[in-house]
């Protein structure tokens, strides 16, 4: 910020806070300039700005003083503090902000965070340049709200080869990721107050979009076979929407059994209920064969399938997709054209070519091997260093695993307390209970391993064991994060 604007902002703030009341006279411009170490012209320029805004006025003797109209009323003095400004937010928005959930922290254990160090950026940048160099005129203008035809076609081919999901390009819509897609679908399907089944424990980010749409969230328990459909029917027989992660449930990692899948689809079809299938990280299955998607069993077009490229490629790409019946796609696209128009065009073009040339499939195959090795290293480290404290879930898909607390561990501390101790030591691990809407029935820690190097697994688990393990006495403090130094730089 230019120096004259810094000076003006400081004086303006002092006037509004009452530090400089009406009638306060300033020193001469030359003296102020000497004290600040700047030219007199800078001070005069700042004063001219405050004169124009009405904060300053001249005295009969030519001095400068605070104008009488600039003094705030007593009841407005506190408005200078941003925290004191009343927030005129809807109840839905306040409910959204009320979620107690810590996110966006960088860590080796961030759930779902992919490793981008081996991503083929050379090929990706080449395709981005090609998309910009000779674009067609229409591609520089608005694209169809459902996405570029080439990318829709490539996504349909990709799903057929990777997920065994047979669909046509006309059943695909390109989105700005799963969160944006859920936001649109929630507003399209739900009216405020409509009931929605959500998994318990479940994906908190999905609950945010549903809450913002005014939905009434109904937590439905999950066991080792996935969502307990009978319990959902008991709790909310009038639900309008069901949101599930059947192939790889978040956070427990279980897969919904075939019997449950059929039960869910039968009930949804009979009661005119939409089902959103979030195929969370199912591309990364480290053992056995790939589990078919819920939509592949759908014969009546009731399931809306969500996918994203954030975990396969990079989160900042913000590209995903929906697969649904053509009537739903038509209504979705027409409504989207009135609100969001379409997802970034150049990214769609580059991604279509990236997929057509086979780079995405090659990268996916390579990362499956990488993530499988990291998962094994993490499981081995937990089994070796904390066998009496943690029990690893049997999930074999995705980029995270859950380590449940043993009885002995639960007797010492809760998972939130454990996460707090680890945070003080500079280790960020998500507590499992954070993913419950109701009283948590399980305690544990959610370990992401997408960014975890194999050689770091044992040392990090050793630090965790020292902090919260059965052999620890006092949690060690990390001097590197024990304090923060904040420097204020004054330009003169």
């Amino acid at each position: 910020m230019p120096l004259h604007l810094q000076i003006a902002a400081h004086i303006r703030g002092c006037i509004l806070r009452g530090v400089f009341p009406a009638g306060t006279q300033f020193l001469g411009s030359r003296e102020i300039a000497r004290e600040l170490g700047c030219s007199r012209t800078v001070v005069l320029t700042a004063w001219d700005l405050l004169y124009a805004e009405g904060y300053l006025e001249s005295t009969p003797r030519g001095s400068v003083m605070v104008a009488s109209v600039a003094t705030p009323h007593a009841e407005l003095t506190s408005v200078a503090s941003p925290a004191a400004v009343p927030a005129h937010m809807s109840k839905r928005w306040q409910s959204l902000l009320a979620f107690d959930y810590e996110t966006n922290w960088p860590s080796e254990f961030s759930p779902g965070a992919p490793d981008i160090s081996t991503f083929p950026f050379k090929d990706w940048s080449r395709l981005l340049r090609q998309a910009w160099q000779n674009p067609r005129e229409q591609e520089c203008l608005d694209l169809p709200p459902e996405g570029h035809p080439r990318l829709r076609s490539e996504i349909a081919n990709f799903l057929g080869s990777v997920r065994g999901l047979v669909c046509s390009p006309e059943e695909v819509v390109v989105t700005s990721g799963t969160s944006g897609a859920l936001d649109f679908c929630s507003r399209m399907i739900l009216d405020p107050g409509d009931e929605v089944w959500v998994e318990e424990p479940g994906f908190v980010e999905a609950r945010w979009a549903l809450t913002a749409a005014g939905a009434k969230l109904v937590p439905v328990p999950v066991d080792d076979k996935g969502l307990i459909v009978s319990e959902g029917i008991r709790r909310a027989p009038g639900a309008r929407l069901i949101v599930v992660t059947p192939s790889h449930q978040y956070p427990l990692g279980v897969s919904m059994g075939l019997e449950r899948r059929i039960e869910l689809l039968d009930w949804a079809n009979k009661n005119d209920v939409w089902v959103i299938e979030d195929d969370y990280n199912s591309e990364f299955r480290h053992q056995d064969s790939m589990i078919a998607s819920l939509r592949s069993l759908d014969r009546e077009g009731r399931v809306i399938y969500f996918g994203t490229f954030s975990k396969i490629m990079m989160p900042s790409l913000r590209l995903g997709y929906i697969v649904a019946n053509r009537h739903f796609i038509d209504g979705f696209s027409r409504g989207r054209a009135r609100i969001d128009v379409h997802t970034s065009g150049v990214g769609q073009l580059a991604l279509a070519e990236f997929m057509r040339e086979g780079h995405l499939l090659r990268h996916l195959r390579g990362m499956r091997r990488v993530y499988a090795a990291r998962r094994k290293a993490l499981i081995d480290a937990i089994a070796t260093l904390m066998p009496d404290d943690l029990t690893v879930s049997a999930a074999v898909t995705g980029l995270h695993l859950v380590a449940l607390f043993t009885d002995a561990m639960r007797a010492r501390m809760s998972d939130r307390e454990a996460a707090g101790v680890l945070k003080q030591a500079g280790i960020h691990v998500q507590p499992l209970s954070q993913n419950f809407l109701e009283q948590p029935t399980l305690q544990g820690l959610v370990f992401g391993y997408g960014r975890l190097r194999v050689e770091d697994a044992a040392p990090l688990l050793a630090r965790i064991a020292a902090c919260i393990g059965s052999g620890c006495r006092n949690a060690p403090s990390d001097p590197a994060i024990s304090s923060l130094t904040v420097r204020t730089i004054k330009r003169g």
Side-chain angles (χ1 to χ4, degrees):
M1 183 186 295
L3 190 54
H4 74 279
L5 293 180
Q6 295 183 46
I7 295 172
H10 176 72
I11 296 175
R12 186 187 300 112
C14 289
I15 293 172
L16 291 174
R17 292 195 303 272
V19 178
F20 297 158
T24 299
Q25 291 192 16
F26 290 95
L27 298 173
S29 58
R30 288 186 176 83
E31 191 168 352
I32 291 177
R34 278 197 303 271
E35 289 191 5
L36 293 179
C38 65
S39 72
R40 183 189 176 210
T41 302
V42 172
V43 178
L44 292 175
T45 304
W47 279 359
D48 286 341
L49 180 60
L50 294 170
Y51 274 126
E53 294 174 349
Y55 289 97
L56 301 181
E57 61 185 21
S58 297
T59 67
R61 295 184 179 181
S63 300
V64 178
M65 69 176 185
V66 177
S68 56
V69 295
T71 303
H73 298 292
E75 63 270 20
L76 297 179
T77 304
S78 62
V79 174
S81 172
V85 178
H88 299 289
M89 295 182 290
S90 67
K91 291 181 179 179
R92 281 183 288 173
W93 202 259
Q94 293 179 35
S95 298
L96 171 66
L97 299 182
F99 274 96
D100 181 20
Y101 187 78
E102 183 181 0
T103 186
N104 293 332
W105 33 261
S107 166
E108 296 89 346
F109 298 122
S110 298
D115 182 3
I116 63 169
S117 63
T118 59
F119 183 77
F121 282 106
K122 184 176 180 180
D123 294 309
W124 178 247
S125 60
R126 171 179 58 83
L127 295 171
L128 281 174
R129 287 196 303 272
Q130 289 179 6
W132 277 119
Q133 282 174 350
N134 296 300
R136 299 174 184 174
E137 181 179 358
Q138 185 58 40
E139 292 168 349
C140 294
L141 304 174
D142 284 338
L143 292 175
E146 58 270 19
H148 197 286
R150 271 189 280 168
L151 181 55
R152 296 171 72 194
S153 179
E154 291 297 333
I155 291 174
N157 293 336
F158 174 79
L159 290 174
S161 61
V162 173
R163 293 294 289 118
L165 176 57
V166 179
C167 61
S168 67
E170 291 75 25
E171 295 175 305
V172 177
V173 165
V174 180
T175 67
S176 299
T178 301
S179 299
L182 183 56
D183 176 48
F184 274 112
C185 288
S186 300
R187 286 184 282 166
M188 177 180 172
I189 296 170
L190 302 171
D191 290 315
D194 282 348
E195 292 181 317
V196 179
W197 292 8
V198 294
E199 295 169 322
E200 177 77 341
F203 201 43
V204 177
E205 283 88 340
R207 298 172 186 171
W208 295 342
L210 294 167
T211 299
K216 179 182 179 182
L217 305 185
V218 180
V220 180
V222 172
D223 62 13
D224 59 349
K225 295 181 181 179
L227 184 82
I228 305 176
V229 179
S230 59
E231 185 64 18
I233 297 172
R234 187 188 71 80
R235 294 189 178 197
R240 292 284 299 127
L241 176 66
I242 301 170
V243 181
V244 290
T245 52
S247 297
H248 178 230
Q249 199 275 337
Y250 187 90
L252 298 181
V254 299
S255 298
M256 182 182 287
L258 178 61
E259 185 178 348
R260 291 269 179 90
R261 292 176 181 233
I262 294 174
E263 182 185 9
L264 176 64
L265 288 175
D266 285 346
W267 186 82
N269 288 329
K270 291 176 183 177
N271 292 274
D272 192 25
V273 177
W274 288 102
V275 179
I276 289 180
E277 176 185 12
D278 183 358
D279 204 25
Y280 181 76
N281 278 353
S282 62
E283 300 90 352
F284 300 112
R285 188 163 182 84
H286 310 304
Q287 296 176 16
D288 306 322
S289 58
M290 184 66 67
I291 295 178
S293 66
L294 184 65
R295 178 165 173 80
S296 65
L297 297 174
D298 181 22
R299 296 294 177 264
E300 298 190 26
R302 186 60 56 185
V303 176
I304 308 161
Y305 179 95
F306 281 13
T308 180
F309 295 102
S310 295
K311 304 299 186 293
I312 306 176
M313 297 175 66
M314 64 192 94
S316 61
L317 184 63
R318 306 311 307 154
L319 281 172
Y321 49 89
I322 290 175
V323 179
N325 72 62
R326 298 187 187 188
H327 295 295
F328 184 93
I329 294 298
D330 179 63
F332 180 95
S333 300
R334 287 164 56 197
R336 186 187 191 189
R338 290 159 171 76
I339 301 173
D340 186 52
V341 187
H342 60 78
T343 304
S344 169
V346 67
Q348 293 189 51
L349 290 169
L351 180 55
E353 289 301 302
F354 190 77
M355 298 174 74
R356 188 187 66 81
E357 294 182 2
H359 302 298
L360 184 63
L361 282 176
R362 282 193 293 273
H363 180 62
L364 176 58
R365 286 195 293 265
M367 295 314 296
R368 280 175 178 165
R369 293 190 293 270
V370 170
Y371 293 144
R374 294 176 180 182
R375 173 182 175 274
K376 182 180 184 303
L378 179 58
I379 292 175
D380 291 346
I382 293 174
T384 301
L385 297 166
M386 301 187 72
D388 299 327
D389 306 306
L390 302 176
T391 301
V392 177
S393 64
V396 294
T397 305
L399 298 178
H400 81 277
L401 58 82
V402 172
L404 297 175
F405 280 9
T406 62
D407 292 340
M409 186 69 180
R410 284 198 301 270
R412 289 202 308 275
M413 64 180 73
S414 69
D415 58 5
R416 287 180 181 256
E417 291 171 335
V421 172
L422 293 174
K423 184 177 180 180
Q424 291 180 2
I427 302 172
H428 291 267
V429 181
Q430 184 188 106
L432 175 62
S433 63
Q434 188 172 248
N435 298 281
F436 283 83
L437 270 176
E438 298 181 323
Q439 186 66 26
T441 57
L442 296 171
Q443 294 282 316
L445 298 175
V446 182
F447 289 94
Y449 50 78
R451 299 176 58 191
L452 176 69
R453 295 185 300 178
V454 170
E455 61 270 23
D456 291 337
L460 282 170
L461 259 296
R463 289 180 61 194
I464 292 174
C467 291
I468 64 171
S470 55
C472 73
R473 293 180 179 272
N474 296 302
S477 61
D478 189 336
I481 64 166
S482 60
S483 64
L484 295 175
T485 302
V486 180
R487 301 185 208 170
T488 302
I489 301 174
K490 177 180 177 182
R491 290 192 242 174

